[in-house]
Amino acid sequence: MENNLSEFCTCNDRKCPLHPSNHEKGCSLCMAKNIQKKEIPSCLFNAAGGYPSKEGYSFEAFAKLVLSDKNNL
């Protein structure tokens, strides 16, 4: 199912059942889960230069990452 990956997919968690390589629905399942939980998907953490810390995938954790690394983006 590798052809389900978007050209911009940066998620490395291929064991996750929601990873696009594990089903035929692309990023939709992951995005729906993140919207429901009010979290940021790992692909955006990766694009911002870091993986979620012990703070998890929260909006606040993402904002801290972006603000702490704004000179490197």
Side-chain angles (χ1 to χ4, degrees):
M1 286 191 214
E2 289 295 317
N3 59 349
N4 295 323
L5 293 178
S6 169
E7 62 190 46
F8 58 85
C9 182
T10 62
C11 182
N12 297 319
D13 187 6
R14 293 180 183 245
K15 292 181 182 179
C16 174
L18 303 180
H19 191 278
S21 66
N22 296 322
H23 55 80
E24 296 181 2
K25 296 185 179 181
C27 298
S28 297
L29 298 178
C30 180
M31 292 303 294
K33 186 238 2 163
N34 282 287
I35 290 168
Q36 178 187 30
K37 294 180 108 182
K38 296 186 179 177
E39 294 181 336
I40 302 291
S42 65
C43 60
L44 294 180
F45 275 90
N46 293 339
Y51 202 73
S53 67
K54 61 185 175 206
E55 295 181 53
Y57 295 90
S58 70
F59 292 162
E60 183 179 11
F62 185 73
K64 286 180 182 178
L65 171 66
V66 171
L67 291 174
S68 72
D69 200 34
K70 67 182 176 184
N71 293 325
N72 294 324
L73 295 178

